[in-house]
Amino acid sequence: MDIQVIGVTGLPLIQKGDDLPALICDRVTFEDGDILTIASSVYSKAKGFTRELSTISPGADAVRIAAKTKEDPRFVQAVLDSSTDVLLEYPFILSEVPSGHIGVRAGVDHSNVEDGRIIILPPDPMGAAAEVRDAVHKITGKDIRVLVTDTCGRSFRRGQTGIAIGWAGMTAINDYRGDTDLFGHVLEITEEAAVDEIAAFANFVMGESHQGIPAVVFRNCRMWNGHDSVYFTREEDIIRAALRETKKN
Ligand code: GDP
Ligand code: MN
Ligand code: MN
């Protein structure tokens, strides 16, 4: 249980076309089982998942919502373009993206990128994690686990934390159901969101501004078993149902 947490320093400003796994492998000596966490923002920059605001022409919905949120209508259009379902328009857009993740402004960022340019979330974050894992294996021969993170707000509490939007080499959930506690009681409910717990601490190490640490390695984390059904189905999701009711009123 002696977990080591290694922030990857010395990475350059990432540009489209950069080989992010190679740049990270130049700076880290990986061991089998390591968990490499990567900020979605740098993965997106390396893959060119960014947009120039000047090339976006906002439609009627974007103009209407931007008037309420007091944002740039072109930014709002980019958020709508990234969204498969808008749960809330005001005081901020809360929407679902194709991977099933639900986030404020669909995770579209205008920090840590040049003026006039925005970063969108990787459209296939699970594929992104698998691709980075394979790339590190090709370069180093090591079998690592990979997590793609984003900083997100939470319901009920002030303050953002890191969460996992893509992962490979591990399941999202550490399923404790059927396990026994210290007194022999069988656990019936607990499904621990292990990837989000690790993403949150990775996000703490990364920081949010000029720290320049978009990747963090966790060594000596135990393995776990579970499943990947981290997103509630429409039927299960009571918060989403409640928001739909508010929208009707
Ligand atoms: P997000 O949480 O995925 O939206 O990413 P953030 O914008 O919060 O950045 C997370 C970390 O990565 C912070 O330490 C940033 O300074 C750093 N970061 C962002 N872009 C770059 C980059 O191009 N190069 C380097 N070296 N660090 C970056
Ligand atoms: Mn972000
Ligand atoms: Mn962040």
Side-chain angles (χ1 to χ4, degrees):
M1 278 285 91
D2 189 7
I3 294 175
Q4 212 183 330
V5 183
I6 307 154
V8 182
T9 55
L11 285 163
L13 278 178
I14 299 301
Q15 310 289 342
K16 181 177 179 182
D18 282 350
D19 185 341
L20 193 55
L23 290 168
I24 293 170
C25 288
D26 284 343
R27 290 161 178 82
V28 179
T29 308
F30 280 108
E31 293 181 10
D32 285 330
D34 281 355
I35 299 177
L36 166 64
T37 63
I38 297 179
S40 52
S41 59
V42 286
Y43 180 86
S44 283
K45 284 200 268 186
K47 292 290 171 182
F49 297 130
T50 63
R51 296 182 71 180
E52 287 287 345
L53 280 177
S54 62
T55 65
I56 301 173
S57 31
D61 279 339
V63 171
R64 178 178 58 75
I65 297 170
K68 293 195 281 184
T69 60
K70 308 254 187 304
E71 289 171 307
D72 185 326
R74 299 169 304 174
F75 177 81
V76 173
Q77 184 61 54
V79 172
L80 296 180
D81 292 343
S82 284
S83 305
T84 50
D85 188 25
V86 176
L87 281 68
L88 192 70
E89 290 181 353
Y90 179 81
F92 47 81
I93 302 174
L94 179 69
S95 63
E96 183 177 30
V97 298
S99 66
H101 167 62
I102 293 173
V104 171
R105 299 181 194 88
V108 180
D109 273 342
H110 42 45
S111 58
N112 283 322
V113 66
E114 299 90 341
D115 286 340
R117 187 170 270 280
I118 52 175
I119 307 175
I120 61 174
L121 289 182
D124 175 15
M126 296 296 282
E131 173 211 311
V132 172
R133 184 178 183 225
D134 286 349
V136 171
H137 188 257
K138 281 208 180 76
I139 297 167
T140 66
K142 299 295 178 188
D143 186 13
I144 67 161
R145 303 176 268 177
V146 174
L147 235 168
V148 179
T149 69
D150 194 25
T151 306
C152 277
R154 301 170 294 168
S155 311
F156 310 115
R157 296 171 79 100
R158 207 178 293 283
Q160 294 85 34
T161 65
I163 66 141
I165 62 166
W167 51 91
M170 62 196 140
T171 58
I173 299 281
N174 180 4
D175 196 343
Y176 276 97
R177 290 173 300 177
D179 202 4
T180 44
D181 75 4
L182 291 170
F183 295 87
H185 308 127
V186 177
L187 300 189
E188 287 171 5
I189 292 174
T190 311
E191 298 172 86
E192 180 188 41
V195 289
D196 288 330
E197 295 178 305
I198 294 165
F201 197 68
N203 198 78
F204 171 72
V205 177
M206 290 173 187
E208 298 296 342
S209 49
H210 58 266
Q211 291 75 16
I213 306 175
V216 179
V217 177
F218 291 74
R219 185 159 295 157
N220 292 335
C221 287
R222 65 165 172 259
M223 303 284 177
W224 61 84
N225 294 311
H227 62 81
D228 282 336
S229 303
V230 73
Y231 302 115
F232 284 133
T233 64
R234 297 276 174 124
E235 293 69 39
E236 290 170 308
D237 195 334
I238 55 172
I239 304 294
R240 191 173 183 148
L243 285 173
R244 202 171 305 127
E245 285 306 309
T246 346
K247 232 178 158 184
K248 277 189 211 151
N249 297 330

